[in-house]
Amino acid sequence: MSGLFSPGCAGSAAEEATGDLAFLQALLDAEAALTRAQAAVGLAPSEAAAAVTRAAADATRFDTRGIALRAREGGNPVIPLVADLTAVVPADAAPYVHRGATSQDILDTALMLVAARTLDPLLTDLSRTERALARLASRHRDTVLPGRTLTQHAVPTTFGLKAAGWRSLVLDARDRVAGVRAALPVQLGGAAGTLAAFQAYGGGEPGVPGERGVQGLVAAFARELALVEPLLPWHTLRTPVADLAAALAFTAGALGKAAVDVATLSRTEIGELSEGSGGGSSAMPHKANPVRATLITAAARRAPALAATLLGSLAAEDERPTGAWHAEWEPLRDLLRLAGGAARDAAEMTEGLRVHPDVMREHLDLTGGLIVSERLVAVFTPLLGRALAKRLLGEAARRTRVEGRTLAEVLGEILADFGESLSDEAAPEEAAPEGVAPEGVDLAALVALCDPTRLSDLTDPTRYTGSAGTLTDRALERR
């Protein structure tokens, strides 16, 4: 595969680890390891194991395309591969190639090998991404920008908290992938998951003890490949594949969250972020597109459907299924490539990300202070009551938008007029105690709020970030 239409994984470690030749080598590695494992427990001569291992060491000596075409006859590539491998080993070793195994044993084990070889560099790239985001979160702990909900300015937040949130998702992905990587098992069960053929080849002795017995064969097979010994054959118990699918899809989505934020904040009319080396256009020389973010987002959009196919294969009939197993191969490879490529691109995107605090600061003022209206509700409600505070602030917001002035200016006028009206309405004989307006309104406090400096402070977006700094610090404590 040339990768012409998969730039997100082209040239990545995931692409190399999941190519046809890599899969073929994994199949050969599984076959060789099985023969060595049988030799280790006395079910094959050590000379045969060495001969099979030598023959299986280089996948390039086998015709990958020919095996693929011949796989149509039996429905999987293991059958023609076993024939080709048997043909190139010495005659005395030939009977021990694939002995006792079924095709699914070898292919499932090869899938786990390919997954392991893909997840290791993927985890390295997630670590790169995590470290880059930790640096961004620390550096911009107190860099304020508009928080946005439903595409509109909501309340101020900090870029440090946003980057810390991205990092938290990356760490969640890392934990899931690391857990799956540590649990990847070999597959060995024989024709129907009973290991009967291995026992038969061993002389039919069900009570052969310890490492020399058939039960020790699975453990030896796992050791040979540095994979995990499963409790049971999992021909139709597809937990390993389902867990792998879920972890990969989550990883693509977690990285996708950061990517869509970067792409949005890189818009020309926003410009709060930009990729370190944006991509060009075939027609517009001025373009600097957020290409890394684009490729990660594409992976995040494709991954869930692929994972759904793999999860759907959990419903596999009998001891070996028709179709459910076969349906897994391509989606799993695609998922490994997508997640691996996205992790590579995320590391590059975050390591080169440029933050523009001056633009963020400008955007905080776009609404003239309305971005902190939530704060003013909290300030005015105890003084005026909920209904009156809402009416007064609603009028202030309307005038701010219509008149193109700041909320502080408009609110100062409204408060002054409101205070005067309260004083005028109070008849001398009905006057309340000094400093307190009728109906419990704290007139003195309202008068104090009319001070321009006080209103400026109340409507300053940089003074209303809540616990963003503390939350960022807490998030960065996670290792």
Side-chain angles (χ1 to χ4, degrees), residues 345-365:
D345 288 336
E348 294 178 359
M349 178 185 76
T350 53
E351 288 173 346
L353 194 64
R354 293 193 301 232
V355 182
H356 306 296
D358 54 336
V359 178
M360 294 175 176
R361 184 63 185 87
E362 290 176 9
H363 290 167
L364 288 168
D365 295 329

Side-chain angles (χ1 to χ4, degrees), residues 12-306:
S12 67
E15 182 187 49
E16 182 178 357
T18 57
D20 280 357
L21 190 63
F23 261 103
L24 184 60
Q25 187 61 63
L27 291 167
L28 289 165
D29 291 344
E31 290 285 4
L34 177 59
T35 310
R36 292 196 304 273
Q38 294 194 62
V41 298
L43 297 178
S46 58
E47 296 80 8
V52 173
T53 298
R54 286 193 299 271
D58 184 5
T60 61
R61 68 184 296 189
F62 296 88
D63 179 8
T64 305
R65 178 61 175 169
I67 290 172
L69 293 173
R70 288 154 57 208
R72 289 180 53 80
E73 298 174 15
N76 74 76
V78 177
I79 298 171
L81 176 62
V82 168
D84 291 354
L85 180 59
T86 302
V88 298
V89 300
D92 57 349
Y96 298 97
V97 174
H98 196 72
R99 192 167 82 155
T102 190
S103 296
Q104 191 169 350
D105 289 334
I106 299 303
L107 205 153
D108 278 349
T109 299
L111 285 173
M112 296 298 103
L113 275 177
V114 167
R117 293 165 181 174
T118 306
L119 295 185
D120 288 341
L122 187 155
L123 284 166
T124 298
D125 285 333
L126 289 180
S127 293
R128 287 175 57 197
T129 303
E130 175 273 316
R131 290 193 297 271
L133 290 173
R135 290 191 295 271
L136 286 168
S138 179
R139 186 179 308 134
H140 294 282
R141 177 187 185 276
D142 301 313
T143 299
V144 186
L145 78 162
R148 296 171 171 94
T149 63
L150 301 180
T151 76
Q152 306 296 300
H153 284 199
V155 296
T157 185
T158 66
F159 185 68
L161 183 58
K162 184 179 286 288
W166 297 342
R167 177 179 179 267
S168 180
L169 280 175
V170 171
L171 291 177
D172 289 343
R174 177 207 63 186
D175 290 348
R176 285 159 173 76
V177 172
V180 168
R181 170 63 182 90
L184 293 174
V186 295
Q187 172 77 281
L188 195 63
T194 65
L195 296 167
F198 298 107
Q199 191 176 93
Y201 283 119
E205 295 294 332
V208 178
E211 288 292 312
R212 305 292 294 178
V214 172
Q215 292 303 317
L217 175 61
V218 182
F221 189 35
R223 284 196 300 272
E224 289 292 337
L225 295 171
L227 295 175
V228 172
E229 177 189 1
L231 179 65
L232 295 171
W234 45 279
H235 293 144
T236 51
L237 308 174
R238 306 305 284 175
T239 301
V241 175
D243 284 348
L244 184 56
L248 292 169
F250 180 89
T251 298
L255 298 174
K257 162 57 181 169
V260 296
D261 278 350
V262 169
T264 298
L265 298 180
S266 298
R267 290 176 181 270
T268 303
E269 60 271 26
I270 298 179
E272 294 173 359
L273 299 175
S274 57
E275 287 193 3
S277 55
S281 164
S282 63
M284 296 167 285
H286 69 281
K287 294 294 288 295
N289 299 319
V291 174
R292 301 280 84 74
T294 298
L295 296 177
I296 298 166
T297 301
R301 297 192 189 284
R302 287 186 59 198
L306 295 167

Side-chain angles (χ1 to χ4, degrees), residues 142-145 155-158 361 364-365 371-372 375-376 379 452-468:
D142 301 313
T143 299
V144 186
L145 78 162
V155 296
T157 185
T158 66
R361 184 63 185 87
L364 288 168
D365 295 329
I371 195 169
V372 296
R375 180 187 194 181
L376 296 176
V379 170
T453 301
R454 174 65 171 146
L455 285 176
S456 179
D457 288 345
L458 281 174
T459 56
D460 181 356
T462 65
R463 295 173 178 264
Y464 190 60
T465 57
S467 299

Side-chain angles (χ1 to χ4, degrees), residues 415-462:
L415 287 175
D417 292 343
F418 184 70
E420 290 178 5
S421 67
L422 286 179
S423 298
D424 293 343
E425 289 174 5
E429 63 274 15
E430 298 173 347
E434 184 177 356
V436 180
E439 300 181 2
V441 174
D442 191 337
L443 184 57
L446 288 175
V447 170
L449 286 178
C450 292
D451 177 66
T453 301
R454 174 65 171 146
L455 285 176
S456 179
D457 288 345
L458 281 174
T459 56
D460 181 356
T462 65

